[in-house]
Amino acid sequence: MGVFQWEEMYSVQVASFDRQHRGLFRAANELNEALLAGCGKEVAGQILQRLIDYTASHFAAEEVAMNMTGYPELGAHQAEHKALVEQVLKFQEDFQAGKPGVAVALMQFLQKWLCHHIMETDKKYGPFLNEKGIH
């Protein structure tokens, strides 16, 4: 069982975003497994890049839906997305530079972030989007 295990409690009640969240969990779990297996920097780097790309497309999809429906917390949500992307890009930069301890710090960050962002921030938009007909 992976560190990043999707559970139904993470559902935001918007099917496309739940699928994307599951994909983020899978990518984070792959990265964790690659690092634990001692895979080379290139393999872990490729997975980290995929995680970054996936996150960017997911955040954009969320923001489009929020913008279309007039979600009142869009600005705050966008600011959180921006801060999260910047942090992950910093991890990537440090990883590529060979800085020690980056992998462990990244895994701790991802575990905390994925759970917190979905449970605390994303769960707020679910009922709003559902009321606007997005399920």
Side-chain angles (χ1 to χ4, degrees), residues 31-98:
L31 177 58
N32 186 54
E33 289 172 11
L35 293 171
L36 288 175
C39 290
K41 185 176 177 178
E42 183 180 308
V43 173
Q46 289 171 357
I47 296 168
L48 180 55
Q49 183 60 53
R50 199 170 80 232
L51 180 63
I52 290 166
D53 294 343
Y54 200 94
T55 301
S57 66
H58 168 66
F59 286 171
E62 283 185 341
E63 291 172 13
V64 165
M66 288 182 230
N67 190 43
M68 282 181 4
T69 59
Y71 183 62
E73 295 183 40
L74 173 61
H77 207 102
Q78 285 175 313
E80 187 171 330
H81 282 170
K82 184 177 186 280
L84 293 167
V85 167
E86 288 172 1
Q87 181 64 48
V88 173
L89 290 173
K90 176 70 171 128
F91 277 117
Q92 182 186 41
E93 179 183 311
D94 290 348
F95 181 78
Q96 289 173 341

Side-chain angles (χ1 to χ4, degrees), residues 24-25 45 49 84 119:
L24 289 170
F25 272 73
Q49 183 60 53
L84 293 167
M119 296 298 287

